[in-house]
Amino acid sequence: MITRFFQEPQTGEAAEKVDIGGTILHHITNSHELELPIVGVVKLPHFDPIHIGGLTVDLSPTKHVVMMWFVAVLLVLVFGLIARPRLVPRGLYNFLESIVVFIREEVVRPNFGELTDRYINYFLTIFWFILFMNLLGLIPYGATATGNIAVTATLAVITFLVTQYTAIRSQGLGGFLKHLTGGVHWMLWPIMVPVELVGLFTKPFALAVRLFANMTAGHVVILSLLGLIFVLKTYFVAPVSIAFALFIYVLELFVGFLQAYIFTMLSALFIGMGLHHAHEEHGTAH
Amino acid sequence: MNILIMAAWLLLSGDGEHKGGLLDIDPGLIFWTVITFSLLLLLLGKFAWGPIVKTLQEREEKIKNSLEEAEKARRDAESLMAKNNEVLAQAERDAQDIARKAKEAADRLKGEIAEQAKLEASKLIENAKKEIENEKNSALLSLRQQVTEMAVGAAGKIISANLDAGKHKQLVDDFIRQMPSQN
């Protein structure tokens, strides 16, 4: 990640030909190769795209897919094998459990109450999945899978589908459709129904863009700050650039946790809202 | 608003120079995200969250039970202490009662004994006085008898003996000498 950055000015014939924008984009976008320590650049196997109807889907693994798998394996290792639950918590498990308890008690329970433990798996998985992807993008040679709009959009769509499924199951299709009218007079339905429909879709859209933008922005800022050294072509800017980049890096650590929390919290809120309408008076809790 | 965002999206993703623009949505990645997330949900749900949540529930249950038990034990101890205090107070009251009664009895007994002693003493004194009176009377009586006898004896002797001055004097001396021995 960083190595390529520093190699760039040397490989070019003239130092003026440094393509900072291209370098930054290269770091934050997906690719068919991995940059590994010692081994260097590894080309990932490429399969022929599959055609489903009119759609062409390239299923060959990319950098972000590999990062996702790495995160998945890491999570299964950490939670499935290393940190075994104990009645009296200790060590690593104690730390991880405190976060699990936070998600359960502070994020899920306020929205689900008695049903918390029936829905908890989804939120714990999404939280840890996003958190690990966020954080793994911050280590050298890592890539931020959550900095890819396809990943965040997919996760947001999954939350959207779960939201609608839960709402329809707990309110019935009639209740769900009635909710779309916003509980107003039928003459206002032509206005209300599109507004409610738009509201339905803006939620996952905001979820996807928020996570993607936050993860991307931090990396762009760090790389831009370091890029200043090459743009200005002086060593004197290096201490300032590095100090600021370090500051943004630490901020990114915080943002990594924060965005995982926000995604989980909003998912719980949206899904819980569909559930609550079944018990509460219609139209009050929106 | 959505249309504007969509337009911006298309504009940004339409960057043809780089294979894979920033806002390009790669269908393959969507596929792999769904697969990875679903598998992770299944695996972690079964092997991680399930046991962890079960442990949390167990711990909650255990803490709740422990607290309830502690509360019950505290209540038991409190009622036991109250009972003990009650018993102790009763015992103290009883002890005081007994002491008071004993003191009363002792006082009464003391009074009785003193009374009796006084009575007996006065009786003894009375008896002694009577005895003394009797003794005195009998002594007087015997004295009187002896004096009479002596007088009679003396008279007889005076009569039987010569009444010269020397003899008379000796007689009186003898008589006086004999007196204590005859007493």
PDB file of all heavy atoms in Angstrom, chain B residues 42-74:
ATOM      1  N   LEU B  42     -24.562 -17.492   9.499  1.00  0.00           N
ATOM      2  CA  LEU B  42     -24.876 -18.863   9.914  1.00  0.00           C
ATOM      3  C   LEU B  42     -23.829 -19.393  10.892  1.00  0.00           C
ATOM      4  O   LEU B  42     -24.163 -19.893  11.965  1.00  0.00           O
ATOM      5  CB  LEU B  42     -24.926 -19.781   8.685  1.00  0.00           C
ATOM      6  CG  LEU B  42     -26.261 -19.804   7.935  1.00  0.00           C
ATOM      7  CD1 LEU B  42     -26.141 -20.662   6.678  1.00  0.00           C
ATOM      8  CD2 LEU B  42     -27.357 -20.345   8.839  1.00  0.00           C
ATOM      9  N   LEU B  43     -22.547 -19.261  10.477  1.00  0.00           N
ATOM     10  CA  LEU B  43     -21.468 -19.826  11.281  1.00  0.00           C
ATOM     11  C   LEU B  43     -21.366 -19.155  12.648  1.00  0.00           C
ATOM     12  O   LEU B  43     -21.350 -19.822  13.683  1.00  0.00           O
ATOM     13  CB  LEU B  43     -20.133 -19.664  10.545  1.00  0.00           C
ATOM     14  CG  LEU B  43     -19.816 -20.731   9.503  1.00  0.00           C
ATOM     15  CD1 LEU B  43     -18.539 -20.380   8.759  1.00  0.00           C
ATOM     16  CD2 LEU B  43     -19.651 -22.080  10.195  1.00  0.00           C
ATOM     17  N   LEU B  44     -21.306 -17.811  12.627  1.00  0.00           N
ATOM     18  CA  LEU B  44     -21.152 -17.101  13.898  1.00  0.00           C
ATOM     19  C   LEU B  44     -22.399 -17.264  14.759  1.00  0.00           C
ATOM     20  O   LEU B  44     -22.318 -17.403  15.974  1.00  0.00           O
ATOM     21  CB  LEU B  44     -20.865 -15.626  13.645  1.00  0.00           C
ATOM     22  CG  LEU B  44     -19.475 -15.301  13.099  1.00  0.00           C
ATOM     23  CD1 LEU B  44     -19.315 -13.810  12.914  1.00  0.00           C
ATOM     24  CD2 LEU B  44     -18.392 -15.806  14.036  1.00  0.00           C
ATOM     25  N   GLY B  45     -23.578 -17.259  14.096  1.00  0.00           N
ATOM     26  CA  GLY B  45     -24.822 -17.442  14.850  1.00  0.00           C
ATOM     27  C   GLY B  45     -24.811 -18.760  15.605  1.00  0.00           C
ATOM     28  O   GLY B  45     -25.243 -18.844  16.749  1.00  0.00           O
ATOM     29  N   LYS B  46     -24.274 -19.788  14.941  1.00  0.00           N
ATOM     30  CA  LYS B  46     -24.293 -21.117  15.551  1.00  0.00           C
ATOM     31  C   LYS B  46     -23.155 -21.296  16.562  1.00  0.00           C
ATOM     32  O   LYS B  46     -23.368 -21.818  17.644  1.00  0.00           O
ATOM     33  CB  LYS B  46     -24.168 -22.168  14.446  1.00  0.00           C
ATOM     34  CG  LYS B  46     -24.486 -23.577  14.911  1.00  0.00           C
ATOM     35  CD  LYS B  46     -24.778 -24.470  13.719  1.00  0.00           C
ATOM     36  CE  LYS B  46     -24.784 -25.929  14.101  1.00  0.00           C
ATOM     37  NZ  LYS B  46     -25.720 -26.240  15.173  1.00  0.00           N
ATOM     38  N   PHE B  47     -21.961 -20.823  16.166  1.00  0.00           N
ATOM     39  CA  PHE B  47     -20.790 -21.144  17.002  1.00  0.00           C
ATOM     40  C   PHE B  47     -20.323 -20.019  17.910  1.00  0.00           C
ATOM     41  O   PHE B  47     -19.516 -20.253  18.800  1.00  0.00           O
ATOM     42  CB  PHE B  47     -19.639 -21.604  16.110  1.00  0.00           C
ATOM     43  CG  PHE B  47     -19.939 -22.861  15.370  1.00  0.00           C
ATOM     44  CD1 PHE B  47     -20.117 -22.858  13.997  1.00  0.00           C
ATOM     45  CD2 PHE B  47     -20.092 -24.057  16.060  1.00  0.00           C
ATOM     46  CE1 PHE B  47     -20.427 -24.031  13.319  1.00  0.00           C
ATOM     47  CE2 PHE B  47     -20.402 -25.229  15.391  1.00  0.00           C
ATOM     48  CZ  PHE B  47     -20.574 -25.214  14.009  1.00  0.00           C
ATOM     49  N   ALA B  48     -20.784 -18.791  17.650  1.00  0.00           N
ATOM     50  CA  ALA B  48     -20.291 -17.690  18.488  1.00  0.00           C
ATOM     51  C   ALA B  48     -21.422 -17.003  19.247  1.00  0.00           C
ATOM     52  O   ALA B  48     -21.480 -17.051  20.468  1.00  0.00           O
ATOM     53  CB  ALA B  48     -19.541 -16.680  17.628  1.00  0.00           C
ATOM     54  N   TRP B  49     -22.367 -16.392  18.506  1.00  0.00           N
ATOM     55  CA  TRP B  49     -23.387 -15.588  19.202  1.00  0.00           C
ATOM     56  C   TRP B  49     -24.302 -16.460  20.043  1.00  0.00           C
ATOM     57  O   TRP B  49     -24.679 -16.069  21.142  1.00  0.00           O
ATOM     58  CB  TRP B  49     -24.207 -14.773  18.205  1.00  0.00           C
ATOM     59  CG  TRP B  49     -23.407 -14.071  17.157  1.00  0.00           C
ATOM     60  CD1 TRP B  49     -23.722 -13.980  15.847  1.00  0.00           C
ATOM     61  CD2 TRP B  49     -22.172 -13.343  17.306  1.00  0.00           C
ATOM     62  NE1 TRP B  49     -22.758 -13.262  15.172  1.00  0.00           N
ATOM     63  CE2 TRP B  49     -21.802 -12.868  16.036  1.00  0.00           C
ATOM     64  CE3 TRP B  49     -21.339 -13.071  18.386  1.00  0.00           C
ATOM     65  CZ2 TRP B  49     -20.634 -12.125  15.814  1.00  0.00           C
ATOM     66  CZ3 TRP B  49     -20.181 -12.338  18.171  1.00  0.00           C
ATOM     67  CH2 TRP B  49     -19.843 -11.871  16.900  1.00  0.00           C
ATOM     68  N   GLY B  50     -24.636 -17.635  19.503  1.00  0.00           N
ATOM     69  CA  GLY B  50     -25.505 -18.544  20.267  1.00  0.00           C
ATOM     70  C   GLY B  50     -24.927 -18.825  21.643  1.00  0.00           C
ATOM     71  O   GLY B  50     -25.539 -18.493  22.658  1.00  0.00           O
ATOM     72  N   PRO B  51     -23.714 -19.426  21.697  1.00  0.00           N
ATOM     73  CA  PRO B  51     -23.115 -19.718  23.011  1.00  0.00           C
ATOM     74  C   PRO B  51     -22.895 -18.468  23.866  1.00  0.00           C
ATOM     75  O   PRO B  51     -23.124 -18.505  25.081  1.00  0.00           O
ATOM     76  CB  PRO B  51     -21.769 -20.352  22.645  1.00  0.00           C
ATOM     77  CG  PRO B  51     -21.957 -20.886  21.276  1.00  0.00           C
ATOM     78  CD  PRO B  51     -22.938 -20.003  20.595  1.00  0.00           C
ATOM     79  N   ILE B  52     -22.492 -17.352  23.210  1.00  0.00           N
ATOM     80  CA  ILE B  52     -22.221 -16.140  24.000  1.00  0.00           C
ATOM     81  C   ILE B  52     -23.516 -15.625  24.626  1.00  0.00           C
ATOM     82  O   ILE B  52     -23.565 -15.331  25.824  1.00  0.00           O
ATOM     83  CB  ILE B  52     -21.562 -15.048  23.119  1.00  0.00           C
ATOM     84  CG1 ILE B  52     -20.125 -15.437  22.791  1.00  0.00           C
ATOM     85  CG2 ILE B  52     -21.579 -13.696  23.827  1.00  0.00           C
ATOM     86  CD1 ILE B  52     -19.407 -14.485  21.845  1.00  0.00           C
ATOM     87  N   VAL B  53     -24.576 -15.554  23.813  1.00  0.00           N
ATOM     88  CA  VAL B  53     -25.848 -15.048  24.342  1.00  0.00           C
ATOM     89  C   VAL B  53     -26.377 -15.999  25.424  1.00  0.00           C
ATOM     90  O   VAL B  53     -26.916 -15.549  26.435  1.00  0.00           O
ATOM     91  CB  VAL B  53     -26.867 -14.852  23.199  1.00  0.00           C
ATOM     92  CG1 VAL B  53     -28.262 -14.619  23.739  1.00  0.00           C
ATOM     93  CG2 VAL B  53     -26.444 -13.676  22.326  1.00  0.00           C
ATOM     94  N   LYS B  54     -26.163 -17.313  25.183  1.00  0.00           N
ATOM     95  CA  LYS B  54     -26.604 -18.281  26.194  1.00  0.00           C
ATOM     96  C   LYS B  54     -25.854 -18.040  27.515  1.00  0.00           C
ATOM     97  O   LYS B  54     -26.439 -18.065  28.593  1.00  0.00           O
ATOM     98  CB  LYS B  54     -26.359 -19.711  25.698  1.00  0.00           C
ATOM     99  CG  LYS B  54     -27.379 -20.698  26.265  1.00  0.00           C
ATOM    100  CD  LYS B  54     -27.238 -22.058  25.615  1.00  0.00           C
ATOM    101  CE  LYS B  54     -27.029 -23.117  26.661  1.00  0.00           C
ATOM    102  NZ  LYS B  54     -25.701 -23.725  26.658  1.00  0.00           N
ATOM    103  N   THR B  55     -24.549 -17.807  27.388  1.00  0.00           N
ATOM    104  CA  THR B  55     -23.742 -17.528  28.580  1.00  0.00           C
ATOM    105  C   THR B  55     -24.223 -16.259  29.276  1.00  0.00           C
ATOM    106  O   THR B  55     -24.319 -16.223  30.502  1.00  0.00           O
ATOM    107  CB  THR B  55     -22.256 -17.365  28.193  1.00  0.00           C
ATOM    108  OG1 THR B  55     -21.881 -18.481  27.402  1.00  0.00           O
ATOM    109  CG2 THR B  55     -21.372 -17.279  29.409  1.00  0.00           C
ATOM    110  N   LEU B  56     -24.522 -15.246  28.463  1.00  0.00           N
ATOM    111  CA  LEU B  56     -25.007 -13.984  29.052  1.00  0.00           C
ATOM    112  C   LEU B  56     -26.309 -14.213  29.797  1.00  0.00           C
ATOM    113  O   LEU B  56     -26.503 -13.718  30.909  1.00  0.00           O
ATOM    114  CB  LEU B  56     -25.220 -12.936  27.956  1.00  0.00           C
ATOM    115  CG  LEU B  56     -23.970 -12.376  27.293  1.00  0.00           C
ATOM    116  CD1 LEU B  56     -24.350 -11.419  26.176  1.00  0.00           C
ATOM    117  CD2 LEU B  56     -23.107 -11.658  28.311  1.00  0.00           C
ATOM    118  N   GLN B  57     -27.208 -14.994  29.161  1.00  0.00           N
ATOM    119  CA  GLN B  57     -28.495 -15.262  29.819  1.00  0.00           C
ATOM    120  C   GLN B  57     -28.285 -16.028  31.120  1.00  0.00           C
ATOM    121  O   GLN B  57     -28.890 -15.722  32.142  1.00  0.00           O
ATOM    122  CB  GLN B  57     -29.406 -16.051  28.882  1.00  0.00           C
ATOM    123  CG  GLN B  57     -30.007 -15.196  27.776  1.00  0.00           C
ATOM    124  CD  GLN B  57     -30.655 -16.016  26.697  1.00  0.00           C
ATOM    125  OE1 GLN B  57     -30.373 -17.212  26.566  1.00  0.00           O
ATOM    126  NE2 GLN B  57     -31.504 -15.385  25.906  1.00  0.00           N
ATOM    127  N   GLU B  58     -27.381 -17.038  31.026  1.00  0.00           N
ATOM    128  CA  GLU B  58     -27.093 -17.825  32.231  1.00  0.00           C
ATOM    129  C   GLU B  58     -26.570 -16.926  33.346  1.00  0.00           C
ATOM    130  O   GLU B  58     -26.973 -17.047  34.505  1.00  0.00           O
ATOM    131  CB  GLU B  58     -26.032 -18.883  31.917  1.00  0.00           C
ATOM    132  CG  GLU B  58     -26.615 -20.218  31.487  1.00  0.00           C
ATOM    133  CD  GLU B  58     -25.547 -21.140  30.928  1.00  0.00           C
ATOM    134  OE1 GLU B  58     -24.373 -20.997  31.328  1.00  0.00           O
ATOM    135  OE2 GLU B  58     -25.875 -21.980  30.080  1.00  0.00           O
ATOM    136  N   ARG B  59     -25.654 -16.022  32.939  1.00  0.00           N
ATOM    137  CA  ARG B  59     -25.061 -15.137  33.948  1.00  0.00           C
ATOM    138  C   ARG B  59     -26.128 -14.227  34.550  1.00  0.00           C
ATOM    139  O   ARG B  59     -26.180 -14.043  35.765  1.00  0.00           O
ATOM    140  CB  ARG B  59     -23.942 -14.313  33.329  1.00  0.00           C
ATOM    141  CG  ARG B  59     -23.093 -13.611  34.366  1.00  0.00           C
ATOM    142  CD  ARG B  59     -22.045 -12.754  33.721  1.00  0.00           C
ATOM    143  NE  ARG B  59     -21.229 -13.508  32.785  1.00  0.00           N
ATOM    144  CZ  ARG B  59     -20.678 -12.980  31.713  1.00  0.00           C
ATOM    145  NH1 ARG B  59     -20.867 -11.721  31.422  1.00  0.00           N
ATOM    146  NH2 ARG B  59     -19.944 -13.723  30.914  1.00  0.00           N
ATOM    147  N   GLU B  60     -26.997 -13.685  33.671  1.00  0.00           N
ATOM    148  CA  GLU B  60     -28.076 -12.832  34.178  1.00  0.00           C
ATOM    149  C   GLU B  60     -28.932 -13.594  35.191  1.00  0.00           C
ATOM    150  O   GLU B  60     -29.236 -13.088  36.267  1.00  0.00           O
ATOM    151  CB  GLU B  60     -28.967 -12.375  33.014  1.00  0.00           C
ATOM    152  CG  GLU B  60     -28.444 -11.150  32.304  1.00  0.00           C
ATOM    153  CD  GLU B  60     -29.070 -10.985  30.926  1.00  0.00           C
ATOM    154  OE1 GLU B  60     -30.128 -11.601  30.667  1.00  0.00           O
ATOM    155  OE2 GLU B  60     -28.492 -10.248  30.108  1.00  0.00           O
ATOM    156  N   GLU B  61     -29.269 -14.843  34.778  1.00  0.00           N
ATOM    157  CA  GLU B  61     -30.103 -15.671  35.638  1.00  0.00           C
ATOM    158  C   GLU B  61     -29.414 -15.903  36.984  1.00  0.00           C
ATOM    159  O   GLU B  61     -30.010 -15.771  38.042  1.00  0.00           O
ATOM    160  CB  GLU B  61     -30.346 -17.001  34.914  1.00  0.00           C
ATOM    161  CG  GLU B  61     -31.479 -17.823  35.481  1.00  0.00           C
ATOM    162  CD  GLU B  61     -32.826 -17.127  35.324  1.00  0.00           C
ATOM    163  OE1 GLU B  61     -32.967 -16.272  34.417  1.00  0.00           O
ATOM    164  OE2 GLU B  61     -33.712 -17.424  36.132  1.00  0.00           O
ATOM    165  N   LYS B  62     -28.106 -16.218  36.891  1.00  0.00           N
ATOM    166  CA  LYS B  62     -27.333 -16.536  38.089  1.00  0.00           C
ATOM    167  C   LYS B  62     -27.250 -15.322  39.023  1.00  0.00           C
ATOM    168  O   LYS B  62     -27.440 -15.444  40.232  1.00  0.00           O
ATOM    169  CB  LYS B  62     -25.922 -16.956  37.679  1.00  0.00           C
ATOM    170  CG  LYS B  62     -25.210 -17.766  38.768  1.00  0.00           C
ATOM    171  CD  LYS B  62     -23.936 -18.362  38.210  1.00  0.00           C
ATOM    172  CE  LYS B  62     -22.965 -18.705  39.312  1.00  0.00           C
ATOM    173  NZ  LYS B  62     -23.454 -19.693  40.256  1.00  0.00           N
ATOM    174  N   ILE B  63     -26.990 -14.160  38.416  1.00  0.00           N
ATOM    175  CA  ILE B  63     -26.892 -12.946  39.230  1.00  0.00           C
ATOM    176  C   ILE B  63     -28.233 -12.645  39.883  1.00  0.00           C
ATOM    177  O   ILE B  63     -28.310 -12.326  41.075  1.00  0.00           O
ATOM    178  CB  ILE B  63     -26.407 -11.766  38.365  1.00  0.00           C
ATOM    179  CG1 ILE B  63     -24.941 -11.949  37.995  1.00  0.00           C
ATOM    180  CG2 ILE B  63     -26.596 -10.445  39.092  1.00  0.00           C
ATOM    181  CD1 ILE B  63     -24.424 -10.968  36.978  1.00  0.00           C
ATOM    182  N   LYS B  64     -29.283 -12.816  39.092  1.00  0.00           N
ATOM    183  CA  LYS B  64     -30.628 -12.549  39.621  1.00  0.00           C
ATOM    184  C   LYS B  64     -30.918 -13.486  40.802  1.00  0.00           C
ATOM    185  O   LYS B  64     -31.355 -13.052  41.865  1.00  0.00           O
ATOM    186  CB  LYS B  64     -31.667 -12.736  38.506  1.00  0.00           C
ATOM    187  CG  LYS B  64     -32.903 -11.882  38.671  1.00  0.00           C
ATOM    188  CD  LYS B  64     -33.832 -12.022  37.487  1.00  0.00           C
ATOM    189  CE  LYS B  64     -35.068 -12.769  37.890  1.00  0.00           C
ATOM    190  NZ  LYS B  64     -35.547 -13.710  36.896  1.00  0.00           N
ATOM    191  N   ASN B  65     -30.629 -14.793  40.559  1.00  0.00           N
ATOM    192  CA  ASN B  65     -30.874 -15.774  41.614  1.00  0.00           C
ATOM    193  C   ASN B  65     -30.042 -15.470  42.851  1.00  0.00           C
ATOM    194  O   ASN B  65     -30.535 -15.541  43.980  1.00  0.00           O
ATOM    195  CB  ASN B  65     -30.550 -17.182  41.117  1.00  0.00           C
ATOM    196  CG  ASN B  65     -31.609 -17.670  40.145  1.00  0.00           C
ATOM    197  OD1 ASN B  65     -32.683 -17.074  40.063  1.00  0.00           O
ATOM    198  ND2 ASN B  65     -31.318 -18.711  39.408  1.00  0.00           N
ATOM    199  N   SER B  66     -28.757 -15.143  42.615  1.00  0.00           N
ATOM    200  CA  SER B  66     -27.867 -14.867  43.749  1.00  0.00           C
ATOM    201  C   SER B  66     -28.381 -13.686  44.550  1.00  0.00           C
ATOM    202  O   SER B  66     -28.400 -13.721  45.789  1.00  0.00           O
ATOM    203  CB  SER B  66     -26.455 -14.564  43.253  1.00  0.00           C
ATOM    204  OG  SER B  66     -25.956 -15.640  42.527  1.00  0.00           O
ATOM    205  N   LEU B  67     -28.817 -12.664  43.837  1.00  0.00           N
ATOM    206  CA  LEU B  67     -29.328 -11.479  44.531  1.00  0.00           C
ATOM    207  C   LEU B  67     -30.581 -11.821  45.328  1.00  0.00           C
ATOM    208  O   LEU B  67     -30.733 -11.414  46.483  1.00  0.00           O
ATOM    209  CB  LEU B  67     -29.645 -10.373  43.528  1.00  0.00           C
ATOM    210  CG  LEU B  67     -28.438  -9.608  43.000  1.00  0.00           C
ATOM    211  CD1 LEU B  67     -28.870  -8.623  41.935  1.00  0.00           C
ATOM    212  CD2 LEU B  67     -27.738  -8.882  44.125  1.00  0.00           C
ATOM    213  N   GLU B  68     -31.440 -12.611  44.697  1.00  0.00           N
ATOM    214  CA  GLU B  68     -32.662 -12.998  45.394  1.00  0.00           C
ATOM    215  C   GLU B  68     -32.344 -13.813  46.641  1.00  0.00           C
ATOM    216  O   GLU B  68     -32.915 -13.597  47.703  1.00  0.00           O
ATOM    217  CB  GLU B  68     -33.571 -13.801  44.457  1.00  0.00           C
ATOM    218  CG  GLU B  68     -34.500 -12.905  43.654  1.00  0.00           C
ATOM    219  CD  GLU B  68     -35.157 -13.626  42.497  1.00  0.00           C
ATOM    220  OE1 GLU B  68     -35.038 -14.875  42.436  1.00  0.00           O
ATOM    221  OE2 GLU B  68     -35.771 -12.945  41.665  1.00  0.00           O
ATOM    222  N   GLU B  69     -31.383 -14.753  46.442  1.00  0.00           N
ATOM    223  CA  GLU B  69     -31.006 -15.587  47.577  1.00  0.00           C
ATOM    224  C   GLU B  69     -30.400 -14.752  48.699  1.00  0.00           C
ATOM    225  O   GLU B  69     -30.713 -14.948  49.877  1.00  0.00           O
ATOM    226  CB  GLU B  69     -29.991 -16.642  47.131  1.00  0.00           C
ATOM    227  CG  GLU B  69     -30.656 -17.956  46.766  1.00  0.00           C
ATOM    228  CD  GLU B  69     -29.705 -18.865  46.005  1.00  0.00           C
ATOM    229  OE1 GLU B  69     -28.499 -18.831  46.307  1.00  0.00           O
ATOM    230  OE2 GLU B  69     -30.177 -19.583  45.117  1.00  0.00           O
ATOM    231  N   ALA B  70     -29.538 -13.811  48.307  1.00  0.00           N
ATOM    232  CA  ALA B  70     -28.909 -12.947  49.312  1.00  0.00           C
ATOM    233  C   ALA B  70     -29.973 -12.144  50.054  1.00  0.00           C
ATOM    234  O   ALA B  70     -29.925 -12.004  51.283  1.00  0.00           O
ATOM    235  CB  ALA B  70     -27.912 -12.002  48.632  1.00  0.00           C
ATOM    236  N   GLU B  71     -30.958 -11.666  49.285  1.00  0.00           N
ATOM    237  CA  GLU B  71     -32.041 -10.879  49.892  1.00  0.00           C
ATOM    238  C   GLU B  71     -32.831 -11.740  50.881  1.00  0.00           C
ATOM    239  O   GLU B  71     -33.132 -11.314  51.992  1.00  0.00           O
ATOM    240  CB  GLU B  71     -32.953 -10.362  48.778  1.00  0.00           C
ATOM    241  CG  GLU B  71     -34.123  -9.526  49.226  1.00  0.00           C
ATOM    242  CD  GLU B  71     -33.696  -8.249  49.942  1.00  0.00           C
ATOM    243  OE1 GLU B  71     -32.546  -7.798  49.728  1.00  0.00           O
ATOM    244  OE2 GLU B  71     -34.504  -7.734  50.724  1.00  0.00           O
ATOM    245  N   LYS B  72     -33.077 -12.986  50.447  1.00  0.00           N
ATOM    246  CA  LYS B  72     -33.828 -13.902  51.295  1.00  0.00           C
ATOM    247  C   LYS B  72     -33.033 -14.193  52.573  1.00  0.00           C
ATOM    248  O   LYS B  72     -33.579 -14.172  53.676  1.00  0.00           O
ATOM    249  CB  LYS B  72     -34.089 -15.208  50.532  1.00  0.00           C
ATOM    250  CG  LYS B  72     -35.173 -16.067  51.149  1.00  0.00           C
ATOM    251  CD  LYS B  72     -35.521 -17.227  50.240  1.00  0.00           C
ATOM    252  CE  LYS B  72     -36.090 -18.374  51.028  1.00  0.00           C
ATOM    253  NZ  LYS B  72     -35.067 -19.124  51.785  1.00  0.00           N
ATOM    254  N   ALA B  73     -31.725 -14.453  52.381  1.00  0.00           N
ATOM    255  CA  ALA B  73     -30.862 -14.745  53.529  1.00  0.00           C
ATOM    256  C   ALA B  73     -30.840 -13.559  54.491  1.00  0.00           C
ATOM    257  O   ALA B  73     -30.874 -13.734  55.711  1.00  0.00           O
ATOM    258  CB  ALA B  73     -29.443 -15.058  53.050  1.00  0.00           C
ATOM    259  N   ARG B  74     -30.803 -12.358  53.898  1.00  0.00           N
ATOM    260  CA  ARG B  74     -30.773 -11.156  54.735  1.00  0.00           C
ATOM    261  C   ARG B  74     -32.066 -11.047  55.547  1.00  0.00           C
ATOM    262  O   ARG B  74     -32.052 -10.761  56.745  1.00  0.00           O
ATOM    263  CB  ARG B  74     -30.609  -9.922  53.844  1.00  0.00           C
ATOM    264  CG  ARG B  74     -30.189  -8.667  54.602  1.00  0.00           C
ATOM    265  CD  ARG B  74     -30.078  -7.506  53.660  1.00  0.00           C
ATOM    266  NE  ARG B  74     -31.351  -7.180  53.042  1.00  0.00           N
ATOM    267  CZ  ARG B  74     -32.294  -6.439  53.623  1.00  0.00           C
ATOM    268  NH1 ARG B  74     -32.103  -5.922  54.792  1.00  0.00           N
ATOM    269  NH2 ARG B  74     -33.433  -6.210  53.011  1.00  0.00           N
TER     270      ARG B  74
END
